[in-house]
Amino acid sequence: MKRLGIFVFYDKAGIVDDYVVYLLQKMEGYLDHLTIVCNGQVTGEGKKRLMKFSSDIHIRENTGYDAMAYKLALTDYLGWDAVLRYEEVLLFNDTFFGPVYPLSELFSKMDARQCDFWGLTYHARAYDYFYGTNDILPAHVHTYFSAYRRPVLESRAFQDYWDQFDATEWFFSDVVRHEQFFTKYLEDAGFHWSTYIDAAEYNSKEPGSNFNHYYYIAYELVSRYRCPFIKRKNFVIKNMSMQAGNMGEDTANALHFIGSETGYDTNMIWGNILRLYNVAEIKNALHLDYIIPWEDAQGCSGLPHTLFRTTAVAAHLYYEELLASCIQYLKQVPEDIYLCVTTSKKTVKDEVAGVFHAMGRRNFEVRLVPNRGRDMGALLVGCVDLFRDFEYVCFVHDKKTKASVGPATVGKSFFYNLWENTLKSRTYIAQILTLFDREPRLGFLTVPPPIHAEFFGSVGLEWHNDFDNTVQLAEKLGLKANFSPDIPCFALGNAFWCRADALAPLAGYGFGYGDLPNEPLPLDGALNHALERIYPYVAQSQGYYSGCVMNTGYASLQNTNLYYFLSGVLSKIRAQQMVTDYPSVFESDILSYCMGKQNVLIYGAGTNGIKTSNILSQNGIPAKGFVVSDDQPKQQEKNGYPVYRLSDIPFGREEVGIVVSVAYTRDRREILSNLRQKGFQDYYLA
């Protein structure tokens, strides 16, 4: 079959990663001609990589997304006369990884299929999940990989659709409308479609029970249905609150399957997502919490001595009353691992040295260091040479709460977290090193953030006031990482295991004791607080992913506490409203705020705002319109409601309640500031 391929490429930095090159290499044998459309920029090196597969490359402004790129390729860059020289046109983009199976399986099967157009996967008819309405979307072929045959290409319906198509002024939510309705449009024109994958067992006659297969059953698609591709979005935004309501387990399973059961190099996946996305998003999507056994068990007793000899454990000890407990943990460090203890007190130095000399341990030293910067100074100044001399480094320090700050048990539990999850036992240490050896892209493992006592109030506020300082520190270090104030950091406590290379930019920066603050530290904003939060982003910049590590006993404790906390919070909420699932917690709260308001306006006319307007409408509380900031383009209406700029709100300040429904924390901060400046005091942050 003579086939034309139209490939749409987009990267915010214009970089053509290895997975794109691999995809185009594998597609070459199935395309007679390839047209490449680059939305936005492409680097010089990137263009050279693309030119290996086609000289027909077009670089355009990134307006209208993939749909507009497909349109321009068909109508302008090629034209219908050129398009009609082919029996089939394949439209595909760079939003997926693969192929993980030979493409001969895909094309031989679909070449024999009797249909007018086809795709890789499809979405069964469903309620409008994008805008949260009860409108039923028709079944539709996903457009990230779809093909159209000559009867369709020659039709007036197909050509008219694309000739008239203009998405240059569309938002992403509008572009989705193309995918959701294009299949039905061609069906109505008399054409028949099919897909390579038909996981019909997961479909339901009830529209509310249907979901996006490539997003929620990625593992089954790859392992059981031999789908050659996996969508990239699976690796960054999976969570159990989304439409299909699962636990998000399938992406990690799919990645493991691809790495162990196919010939696809998963380094191409890691290379792309670590460059593009926030490392905490990746951790959450792949649930990178490692639960490691600490007791000797069959298969766990063989200690990897070769790994031990490339490993250093550093411990900073300050509190003499905690010394005995620390020494018990330090005794778990195998002899072949280099042990370096730092302290600012000669009495502590002498006692530690005496204990280990008495044990006959040779592979250790105790360093006397200034107390400037506490544990951070000990690590980045007093022990910085360990990152040069060893392949793996563990760091831990003592911790307590002063009586004037809170009960001693608060610090005691924090101490337990730090030490239990770094140096629990010889077997535990061996298992951690084996994990690093087995996972070459793993760079950093932190202990879990504390959630007890007053730390419970910090859940969801992990950045505190340290986000800007952390970003500024990243700029000083020259990191290539992705920060967001809306995505909590997860490295807190300054106790960890790492691959030394993962933290090389930090170790090599050249911190001195003069860079670090004296005691007492401020609650937030100090360099020390930025340093403990930045570790995973340093590792990301080095091409490594990060996670949390816990021993099995601590994980059991953590799970029990988390469920207890969640149960308590939900019991409190249920006293005021009904809770059915995670989103319902927030929907009911919005309704409670809006009930009885004379005029309700929704600040934000994007996807979040439209969903909020639909929630209100479905519950008999129609909004009076949307509000946008004064610097936004003027719009007449959205979703059937008028759109007002902030300065043009037609209601008095005492007559209106405003629901702020935008996605990003920084946008919300600016909006709240603008509302206050304009004198609006009655608002709700959705």
Side-chain angles (χ1 to χ4, degrees), residues 1-8 20 23-36 53-54 86-93 103 106-107 111 118 145-147 229:
M1 183 180 292
K2 190 175 183 182
R3 183 180 291 114
L4 166 67
I6 297 175
F7 174 67
V8 177
V20 173
L23 169 64
L24 296 180
Q25 283 175 342
K26 296 301 180 181
M27 290 293 296
E28 271 190 305
Y30 303 95
L31 302 174
D32 294 279
H33 179 76
L34 176 64
T35 295
I36 299 175
F53 308 102
S54 176
Y86 299 91
E87 298 171 82
E88 185 173 89
V89 173
L90 177 65
L91 308 180
F92 65 113
N93 60 32
L103 287 177
L106 166 66
F107 286 107
D111 284 351
W118 60 273
F145 195 97
S146 57
F229 304 118

mmCIF file of all heavy atoms in Angstrom, residues 1-8 20 23-36 53-54 86-93 103 106-107 111 118 145-147 229:
data_model
loop_
_atom_site.group_PDB
_atom_site.id
_atom_site.type_symbol
_atom_site.label_atom_id
_atom_site.label_comp_id
_atom_site.label_asym_id
_atom_site.label_seq_id
_atom_site.Cartn_x
_atom_site.Cartn_y
_atom_site.Cartn_z
ATOM 1 N N MET A 1 0.852 -1.193 0.000
ATOM 2 C CA MET A 1 0.000 0.000 0.000
ATOM 3 C C MET A 1 0.886 1.241 0.000
ATOM 4 O O MET A 1 1.794 1.361 0.823
ATOM 5 C CB MET A 1 -0.922 0.002 1.229
ATOM 6 C CG MET A 1 -1.880 1.174 1.255
ATOM 7 S SD MET A 1 -2.969 1.170 2.709
ATOM 8 C CE MET A 1 -3.982 -0.260 2.353
ATOM 9 N N LYS A 2 0.628 2.135 -0.935
ATOM 10 C CA LYS A 2 1.411 3.369 -1.021
ATOM 11 C C LYS A 2 0.907 4.339 0.046
ATOM 12 O O LYS A 2 -0.248 4.756 0.024
ATOM 13 C CB LYS A 2 1.289 3.982 -2.412
ATOM 14 C CG LYS A 2 2.268 5.129 -2.655
ATOM 15 C CD LYS A 2 2.188 5.633 -4.087
ATOM 16 C CE LYS A 2 3.216 6.730 -4.328
ATOM 17 N NZ LYS A 2 3.129 7.284 -5.697
ATOM 18 N N ARG A 3 1.820 4.692 0.960
ATOM 19 C CA ARG A 3 1.370 5.413 2.159
ATOM 20 C C ARG A 3 2.167 6.694 2.368
ATOM 21 O O ARG A 3 3.401 6.707 2.295
ATOM 22 C CB ARG A 3 1.503 4.500 3.375
ATOM 23 C CG ARG A 3 1.001 5.099 4.674
ATOM 24 C CD ARG A 3 1.172 4.133 5.843
ATOM 25 N NE ARG A 3 0.282 2.982 5.725
ATOM 26 C CZ ARG A 3 0.691 1.741 5.539
ATOM 27 N NH1 ARG A 3 2.000 1.483 5.406
ATOM 28 N NH2 ARG A 3 -0.168 0.750 5.462
ATOM 29 N N LEU A 4 1.443 7.771 2.651
ATOM 30 C CA LEU A 4 2.022 9.062 3.023
ATOM 31 C C LEU A 4 1.959 9.209 4.528
ATOM 32 O O LEU A 4 0.931 8.939 5.150
ATOM 33 C CB LEU A 4 1.233 10.202 2.361
ATOM 34 C CG LEU A 4 1.479 11.626 2.898
ATOM 35 C CD1 LEU A 4 2.893 12.096 2.575
ATOM 36 C CD2 LEU A 4 0.440 12.593 2.327
ATOM 37 N N GLY A 5 3.043 9.641 5.148
ATOM 38 C CA GLY A 5 3.056 9.913 6.585
ATOM 39 C C GLY A 5 3.190 11.400 6.839
ATOM 40 O O GLY A 5 3.988 12.085 6.188
ATOM 41 N N ILE A 6 2.385 11.909 7.755
ATOM 42 C CA ILE A 6 2.502 13.298 8.214
ATOM 43 C C ILE A 6 2.776 13.240 9.712
ATOM 44 O O ILE A 6 1.935 12.781 10.492
ATOM 45 C CB ILE A 6 1.232 14.109 7.922
ATOM 46 C CG1 ILE A 6 1.004 14.199 6.413
ATOM 47 C CG2 ILE A 6 1.341 15.513 8.527
ATOM 48 C CD1 ILE A 6 -0.298 14.882 6.025
ATOM 49 N N PHE A 7 3.962 13.664 10.093
ATOM 50 C CA PHE A 7 4.416 13.567 11.478
ATOM 51 C C PHE A 7 4.506 14.959 12.072
ATOM 52 O O PHE A 7 5.129 15.858 11.502
ATOM 53 C CB PHE A 7 5.783 12.891 11.533
ATOM 54 C CG PHE A 7 6.406 12.866 12.907
ATOM 55 C CD1 PHE A 7 5.846 12.107 13.930
ATOM 56 C CD2 PHE A 7 7.577 13.584 13.178
ATOM 57 C CE1 PHE A 7 6.428 12.067 15.194
ATOM 58 C CE2 PHE A 7 8.164 13.554 14.425
ATOM 59 C CZ PHE A 7 7.583 12.789 15.446
ATOM 60 N N VAL A 8 3.861 15.156 13.235
ATOM 61 C CA VAL A 8 3.880 16.448 13.918
ATOM 62 C C VAL A 8 4.800 16.350 15.128
ATOM 63 O O VAL A 8 4.626 15.482 15.993
ATOM 64 C CB VAL A 8 2.470 16.873 14.350
ATOM 65 C CG1 VAL A 8 2.528 18.191 15.120
ATOM 66 C CG2 VAL A 8 1.570 17.023 13.131
ATOM 67 N N VAL A 20 12.265 9.924 19.480
ATOM 68 C CA VAL A 20 11.701 10.400 18.210
ATOM 69 C C VAL A 20 12.479 9.792 17.047
ATOM 70 O O VAL A 20 11.896 9.315 16.062
ATOM 71 C CB VAL A 20 11.726 11.938 18.140
ATOM 72 C CG1 VAL A 20 11.295 12.423 16.750
ATOM 73 C CG2 VAL A 20 10.827 12.537 19.209
ATOM 74 N N LEU A 23 11.547 6.156 16.710
ATOM 75 C CA LEU A 23 10.215 6.014 16.122
ATOM 76 C C LEU A 23 10.271 6.188 14.605
ATOM 77 O O LEU A 23 9.728 5.371 13.841
ATOM 78 C CB LEU A 23 9.260 7.041 16.736
ATOM 79 C CG LEU A 23 7.900 7.206 16.055
ATOM 80 C CD1 LEU A 23 7.082 5.930 16.142
ATOM 81 C CD2 LEU A 23 7.139 8.383 16.661
ATOM 82 N N LEU A 24 10.926 7.240 14.142
ATOM 83 C CA LEU A 24 10.978 7.509 12.702
ATOM 84 C C LEU A 24 11.800 6.448 11.967
ATOM 85 O O LEU A 24 11.487 6.101 10.824
ATOM 86 C CB LEU A 24 11.537 8.909 12.454
ATOM 87 C CG LEU A 24 10.667 10.059 12.989
ATOM 88 C CD1 LEU A 24 11.307 11.405 12.683
ATOM 89 C CD2 LEU A 24 9.253 10.001 12.405
ATOM 90 N N GLN A 25 12.836 5.941 12.621
ATOM 91 C CA GLN A 25 13.602 4.847 12.009
ATOM 92 C C GLN A 25 12.704 3.643 11.753
ATOM 93 O O GLN A 25 12.748 3.028 10.684
ATOM 94 C CB GLN A 25 14.754 4.434 12.933
ATOM 95 C CG GLN A 25 15.945 5.354 12.925
ATOM 96 C CD GLN A 25 16.997 4.941 13.943
ATOM 97 O OE1 GLN A 25 16.711 4.176 14.880
ATOM 98 N NE2 GLN A 25 18.214 5.453 13.787
ATOM 99 N N LYS A 26 11.904 3.292 12.729
ATOM 100 C CA LYS A 26 11.041 2.121 12.610
ATOM 101 C C LYS A 26 9.873 2.354 11.656
ATOM 102 O O LYS A 26 9.329 1.392 11.095
ATOM 103 C CB LYS A 26 10.518 1.714 13.998
ATOM 104 C CG LYS A 26 11.602 1.266 14.962
ATOM 105 C CD LYS A 26 12.380 0.067 14.400
ATOM 106 C CE LYS A 26 13.461 -0.395 15.344
ATOM 107 N NZ LYS A 26 14.240 -1.546 14.793
ATOM 108 N N MET A 27 9.491 3.611 11.462
ATOM 109 C CA MET A 27 8.384 3.921 10.557
ATOM 110 C C MET A 27 8.822 3.967 9.094
ATOM 111 O O MET A 27 7.983 3.850 8.182
ATOM 112 C CB MET A 27 7.764 5.273 10.931
ATOM 113 C CG MET A 27 6.987 5.270 12.235
ATOM 114 S SD MET A 27 5.481 4.280 12.165
ATOM 115 C CE MET A 27 4.547 5.189 10.950
ATOM 116 N N GLU A 28 10.121 4.131 8.845
ATOM 117 C CA GLU A 28 10.630 4.349 7.487
ATOM 118 C C GLU A 28 10.133 3.310 6.488
ATOM 119 O O GLU A 28 9.726 3.643 5.373
ATOM 120 C CB GLU A 28 12.166 4.346 7.499
ATOM 121 C CG GLU A 28 12.782 5.692 7.733
ATOM 122 C CD GLU A 28 14.284 5.674 7.497
ATOM 123 O OE1 GLU A 28 14.977 4.848 8.126
ATOM 124 O OE2 GLU A 28 14.748 6.477 6.670
ATOM 125 N N GLY A 29 10.176 2.055 6.851
ATOM 126 C CA GLY A 29 9.835 0.989 5.919
ATOM 127 C C GLY A 29 8.367 0.927 5.551
ATOM 128 O O GLY A 29 7.993 0.165 4.649
ATOM 129 N N TYR A 30 7.533 1.702 6.202
ATOM 130 C CA TYR A 30 6.090 1.638 5.963
ATOM 131 C C TYR A 30 5.546 2.928 5.359
ATOM 132 O O TYR A 30 4.331 3.069 5.189
ATOM 133 C CB TYR A 30 5.370 1.321 7.279
ATOM 134 C CG TYR A 30 5.863 0.033 7.884
ATOM 135 C CD1 TYR A 30 6.872 0.039 8.851
ATOM 136 C CD2 TYR A 30 5.377 -1.198 7.450
ATOM 137 C CE1 TYR A 30 7.369 -1.140 9.379
ATOM 138 C CE2 TYR A 30 5.869 -2.384 7.969
ATOM 139 C CZ TYR A 30 6.862 -2.351 8.932
ATOM 140 O OH TYR A 30 7.359 -3.526 9.445
ATOM 141 N N LEU A 31 6.438 3.864 5.023
ATOM 142 C CA LEU A 31 6.026 5.137 4.441
ATOM 143 C C LEU A 31 6.759 5.360 3.127
ATOM 144 O O LEU A 31 7.980 5.188 3.046
ATOM 145 C CB LEU A 31 6.345 6.291 5.406
ATOM 146 C CG LEU A 31 5.727 6.232 6.802
ATOM 147 C CD1 LEU A 31 6.254 7.371 7.669
ATOM 148 C CD2 LEU A 31 4.206 6.274 6.728
ATOM 149 N N ASP A 32 6.014 5.768 2.108
ATOM 150 C CA ASP A 32 6.637 6.111 0.829
ATOM 151 C C ASP A 32 7.107 7.558 0.810
ATOM 152 O O ASP A 32 7.982 7.923 0.031
ATOM 153 C CB ASP A 32 5.637 5.866 -0.300
ATOM 154 C CG ASP A 32 5.311 4.393 -0.450
ATOM 155 O OD1 ASP A 32 6.108 3.671 -1.069
ATOM 156 O OD2 ASP A 32 4.276 3.959 0.089
ATOM 157 N N HIS A 33 6.499 8.375 1.653
ATOM 158 C CA HIS A 33 6.944 9.760 1.799
ATOM 159 C C HIS A 33 6.569 10.224 3.195
ATOM 160 O O HIS A 33 5.532 9.841 3.744
ATOM 161 C CB HIS A 33 6.282 10.672 0.766
ATOM 162 C CG HIS A 33 6.718 12.119 0.907
ATOM 163 N ND1 HIS A 33 7.941 12.564 0.486
ATOM 164 C CD2 HIS A 33 6.088 13.199 1.456
ATOM 165 C CE1 HIS A 33 8.062 13.863 0.749
ATOM 166 N NE2 HIS A 33 6.944 14.272 1.340
ATOM 167 N N LEU A 34 7.434 11.042 3.785
ATOM 168 C CA LEU A 34 7.179 11.577 5.121
ATOM 169 C C LEU A 34 7.264 13.089 5.088
ATOM 170 O O LEU A 34 8.271 13.659 4.667
ATOM 171 C CB LEU A 34 8.204 11.027 6.121
ATOM 172 C CG LEU A 34 8.110 11.582 7.556
ATOM 173 C CD1 LEU A 34 6.789 11.190 8.205
ATOM 174 C CD2 LEU A 34 9.291 11.090 8.402
ATOM 175 N N THR A 35 6.199 13.745 5.517
ATOM 176 C CA THR A 35 6.186 15.187 5.728
ATOM 177 C C THR A 35 6.243 15.436 7.226
ATOM 178 O O THR A 35 5.456 14.851 7.985
ATOM 179 C CB THR A 35 4.917 15.827 5.145
ATOM 180 O OG1 THR A 35 4.921 15.675 3.733
ATOM 181 C CG2 THR A 35 4.843 17.313 5.491
ATOM 182 N N ILE A 36 7.173 16.279 7.653
ATOM 183 C CA ILE A 36 7.338 16.576 9.079
ATOM 184 C C ILE A 36 6.945 18.023 9.326
ATOM 185 O O ILE A 36 7.435 18.937 8.649
ATOM 186 C CB ILE A 36 8.786 16.339 9.530
ATOM 187 C CG1 ILE A 36 9.188 14.873 9.314
ATOM 188 C CG2 ILE A 36 8.970 16.727 10.997
ATOM 189 C CD1 ILE A 36 10.644 14.574 9.626
ATOM 190 N N PHE A 53 15.357 11.528 7.851
ATOM 191 C CA PHE A 53 14.159 10.793 7.463
ATOM 192 C C PHE A 53 13.330 11.516 6.407
ATOM 193 O O PHE A 53 12.516 10.897 5.732
ATOM 194 C CB PHE A 53 13.295 10.519 8.698
ATOM 195 C CG PHE A 53 14.065 9.889 9.812
ATOM 196 C CD1 PHE A 53 14.495 10.634 10.896
ATOM 197 C CD2 PHE A 53 14.407 8.543 9.755
ATOM 198 C CE1 PHE A 53 15.234 10.060 11.913
ATOM 199 C CE2 PHE A 53 15.149 7.956 10.766
ATOM 200 C CZ PHE A 53 15.568 8.717 11.846
ATOM 201 N N SER A 54 13.548 12.826 6.250
ATOM 202 C CA SER A 54 12.804 13.575 5.235
ATOM 203 C C SER A 54 13.412 14.959 5.072
ATOM 204 O O SER A 54 13.860 15.569 6.050
ATOM 205 C CB SER A 54 11.329 13.703 5.636
ATOM 206 O OG SER A 54 10.633 14.495 4.707
ATOM 207 N N TYR A 86 -1.493 8.965 -3.027
ATOM 208 C CA TYR A 86 -1.276 7.877 -2.088
ATOM 209 C C TYR A 86 -2.587 7.149 -1.794
ATOM 210 O O TYR A 86 -3.675 7.719 -1.881
ATOM 211 C CB TYR A 86 -0.672 8.426 -0.786
ATOM 212 C CG TYR A 86 0.667 9.096 -1.013
ATOM 213 C CD1 TYR A 86 0.741 10.470 -1.284
ATOM 214 C CD2 TYR A 86 1.847 8.364 -0.999
ATOM 215 C CE1 TYR A 86 1.956 11.087 -1.517
ATOM 216 C CE2 TYR A 86 3.069 8.973 -1.237
ATOM 217 C CZ TYR A 86 3.124 10.330 -1.495
ATOM 218 O OH TYR A 86 4.331 10.941 -1.742
ATOM 219 N N GLU A 87 -2.441 5.890 -1.423
ATOM 220 C CA GLU A 87 -3.622 5.084 -1.076
ATOM 221 C C GLU A 87 -4.042 5.298 0.375
ATOM 222 O O GLU A 87 -5.198 5.035 0.727
ATOM 223 C CB GLU A 87 -3.311 3.601 -1.287
ATOM 224 C CG GLU A 87 -2.981 3.228 -2.723
ATOM 225 C CD GLU A 87 -2.476 1.809 -2.821
ATOM 226 O OE1 GLU A 87 -3.328 0.888 -2.846
ATOM 227 O OE2 GLU A 87 -1.241 1.620 -2.844
ATOM 228 N N GLU A 88 -3.105 5.743 1.202
ATOM 229 C CA GLU A 88 -3.412 5.942 2.616
ATOM 230 C C GLU A 88 -2.540 7.065 3.165
ATOM 231 O O GLU A 88 -1.363 7.183 2.808
ATOM 232 C CB GLU A 88 -3.150 4.649 3.401
ATOM 233 C CG GLU A 88 -3.545 4.704 4.872
ATOM 234 C CD GLU A 88 -3.428 3.339 5.538
ATOM 235 O OE1 GLU A 88 -2.335 3.018 6.051
ATOM 236 O OE2 GLU A 88 -4.436 2.599 5.527
ATOM 237 N N VAL A 89 -3.123 7.899 4.019
ATOM 238 C CA VAL A 89 -2.383 8.960 4.703
ATOM 239 C C VAL A 89 -2.398 8.656 6.199
ATOM 240 O O VAL A 89 -3.466 8.475 6.794
ATOM 241 C CB VAL A 89 -2.995 10.343 4.444
ATOM 242 C CG1 VAL A 89 -2.296 11.399 5.307
ATOM 243 C CG2 VAL A 89 -2.874 10.719 2.976
ATOM 244 N N LEU A 90 -1.219 8.577 6.792
ATOM 245 C CA LEU A 90 -1.078 8.292 8.218
ATOM 246 C C LEU A 90 -0.692 9.581 8.937
ATOM 247 O O LEU A 90 0.329 10.198 8.628
ATOM 248 C CB LEU A 90 0.003 7.231 8.441
ATOM 249 C CG LEU A 90 0.327 6.869 9.890
ATOM 250 C CD1 LEU A 90 -0.870 6.204 10.551
ATOM 251 C CD2 LEU A 90 1.542 5.952 9.953
ATOM 252 N N LEU A 91 -1.531 10.013 9.881
ATOM 253 C CA LEU A 91 -1.257 11.183 10.703
ATOM 254 C C LEU A 91 -0.784 10.700 12.078
ATOM 255 O O LEU A 91 -1.487 9.946 12.747
ATOM 256 C CB LEU A 91 -2.516 12.039 10.865
ATOM 257 C CG LEU A 91 -3.256 12.450 9.588
ATOM 258 C CD1 LEU A 91 -4.485 13.304 9.937
ATOM 259 C CD2 LEU A 91 -2.338 13.200 8.632
ATOM 260 N N PHE A 92 0.404 11.117 12.497
ATOM 261 C CA PHE A 92 0.893 10.709 13.808
ATOM 262 C C PHE A 92 1.784 11.795 14.396
ATOM 263 O O PHE A 92 2.254 12.692 13.687
ATOM 264 C CB PHE A 92 1.619 9.364 13.740
ATOM 265 C CG PHE A 92 2.903 9.337 12.937
ATOM 266 C CD1 PHE A 92 4.125 9.139 13.563
ATOM 267 C CD2 PHE A 92 2.903 9.483 11.546
ATOM 268 C CE1 PHE A 92 5.316 9.086 12.838
ATOM 269 C CE2 PHE A 92 4.082 9.428 10.811
ATOM 270 C CZ PHE A 92 5.292 9.231 11.454
ATOM 271 N N ASN A 93 1.976 11.739 15.710
ATOM 272 C CA ASN A 93 2.758 12.780 16.378
ATOM 273 C C ASN A 93 3.779 12.162 17.334
ATOM 274 O O ASN A 93 4.016 10.953 17.304
ATOM 275 C CB ASN A 93 1.834 13.782 17.093
ATOM 276 C CG ASN A 93 0.964 13.116 18.150
ATOM 277 O OD1 ASN A 93 1.361 12.139 18.791
ATOM 278 N ND2 ASN A 93 -0.245 13.632 18.351
ATOM 279 N N LEU A 103 6.627 -3.252 13.952
ATOM 280 C CA LEU A 103 5.479 -2.602 13.320
ATOM 281 C C LEU A 103 4.863 -3.447 12.218
ATOM 282 O O LEU A 103 3.752 -3.154 11.759
ATOM 283 C CB LEU A 103 5.899 -1.238 12.781
ATOM 284 C CG LEU A 103 6.129 -0.161 13.843
ATOM 285 C CD1 LEU A 103 6.605 1.136 13.197
ATOM 286 C CD2 LEU A 103 4.863 0.094 14.649
ATOM 287 N N LEU A 106 1.467 -4.542 13.288
ATOM 288 C CA LEU A 106 0.426 -3.522 13.156
ATOM 289 C C LEU A 106 -0.011 -3.360 11.709
ATOM 290 O O LEU A 106 -1.210 -3.450 11.387
ATOM 291 C CB LEU A 106 0.952 -2.186 13.707
ATOM 292 C CG LEU A 106 0.161 -0.922 13.362
ATOM 293 C CD1 LEU A 106 -1.214 -0.962 14.013
ATOM 294 C CD2 LEU A 106 0.924 0.331 13.792
ATOM 295 N N PHE A 107 0.934 -3.130 10.804
ATOM 296 C CA PHE A 107 0.555 -2.784 9.431
ATOM 297 C C PHE A 107 0.023 -3.979 8.650
ATOM 298 O O PHE A 107 -0.877 -3.828 7.820
ATOM 299 C CB PHE A 107 1.736 -2.117 8.718
ATOM 300 C CG PHE A 107 1.970 -0.702 9.173
ATOM 301 C CD1 PHE A 107 3.049 -0.383 9.977
ATOM 302 C CD2 PHE A 107 1.087 0.302 8.808
ATOM 303 C CE1 PHE A 107 3.258 0.915 10.408
ATOM 304 C CE2 PHE A 107 1.284 1.613 9.234
ATOM 305 C CZ PHE A 107 2.370 1.924 10.039
ATOM 306 N N ASP A 111 -3.580 -3.508 7.145
ATOM 307 C CA ASP A 111 -3.669 -3.542 5.681
ATOM 308 C C ASP A 111 -4.754 -4.507 5.218
ATOM 309 O O ASP A 111 -5.395 -4.303 4.184
ATOM 310 C CB ASP A 111 -2.320 -3.951 5.068
ATOM 311 C CG ASP A 111 -1.300 -2.822 5.100
ATOM 312 O OD1 ASP A 111 -1.681 -1.686 5.443
ATOM 313 O OD2 ASP A 111 -0.114 -3.085 4.801
ATOM 314 N N TRP A 118 -8.735 4.248 10.095
ATOM 315 C CA TRP A 118 -8.446 3.469 11.284
ATOM 316 C C TRP A 118 -7.482 4.194 12.209
ATOM 317 O O TRP A 118 -6.837 5.172 11.818
ATOM 318 C CB TRP A 118 -7.891 2.091 10.922
ATOM 319 C CG TRP A 118 -6.599 2.077 10.125
ATOM 320 C CD1 TRP A 118 -6.478 2.145 8.763
ATOM 321 C CD2 TRP A 118 -5.268 1.991 10.646
ATOM 322 N NE1 TRP A 118 -5.149 2.099 8.397
ATOM 323 C CE2 TRP A 118 -4.390 1.988 9.536
ATOM 324 C CE3 TRP A 118 -4.744 1.884 11.925
ATOM 325 C CZ2 TRP A 118 -3.008 1.920 9.674
ATOM 326 C CZ3 TRP A 118 -3.360 1.810 12.070
ATOM 327 C CH2 TRP A 118 -2.511 1.828 10.951
ATOM 328 N N PHE A 145 -2.460 8.687 16.312
ATOM 329 C CA PHE A 145 -1.969 7.737 15.309
ATOM 330 C C PHE A 145 -3.202 7.240 14.560
ATOM 331 O O PHE A 145 -3.907 6.355 15.026
ATOM 332 C CB PHE A 145 -1.248 6.568 15.993
ATOM 333 C CG PHE A 145 -0.414 5.724 15.069
ATOM 334 C CD1 PHE A 145 0.951 5.937 14.963
ATOM 335 C CD2 PHE A 145 -0.989 4.715 14.306
ATOM 336 C CE1 PHE A 145 1.740 5.148 14.123
ATOM 337 C CE2 PHE A 145 -0.222 3.930 13.462
ATOM 338 C CZ PHE A 145 1.157 4.155 13.367
ATOM 339 N N SER A 146 -3.482 7.856 13.405
ATOM 340 C CA SER A 146 -4.694 7.505 12.651
ATOM 341 C C SER A 146 -4.404 7.553 11.157
ATOM 342 O O SER A 146 -3.541 8.316 10.696
ATOM 343 C CB SER A 146 -5.842 8.455 13.000
ATOM 344 O OG SER A 146 -5.496 9.807 12.749
ATOM 345 N N ALA A 147 -5.128 6.726 10.403
ATOM 346 C CA ALA A 147 -4.867 6.582 8.958
ATOM 347 C C ALA A 147 -6.172 6.692 8.177
ATOM 348 O O ALA A 147 -7.229 6.225 8.625
ATOM 349 C CB ALA A 147 -4.199 5.239 8.685
ATOM 350 N N PHE A 229 2.794 1.021 21.213
ATOM 351 C CA PHE A 229 3.129 2.339 21.749
ATOM 352 C C PHE A 229 2.517 2.536 23.129
ATOM 353 O O PHE A 229 1.499 1.944 23.469
ATOM 354 C CB PHE A 229 2.618 3.448 20.825
ATOM 355 C CG PHE A 229 3.117 3.355 19.412
ATOM 356 C CD1 PHE A 229 2.236 3.173 18.353
ATOM 357 C CD2 PHE A 229 4.472 3.439 19.133
ATOM 358 C CE1 PHE A 229 2.691 3.080 17.054
ATOM 359 C CE2 PHE A 229 4.944 3.347 17.832
ATOM 360 C CZ PHE A 229 4.049 3.169 16.786
#
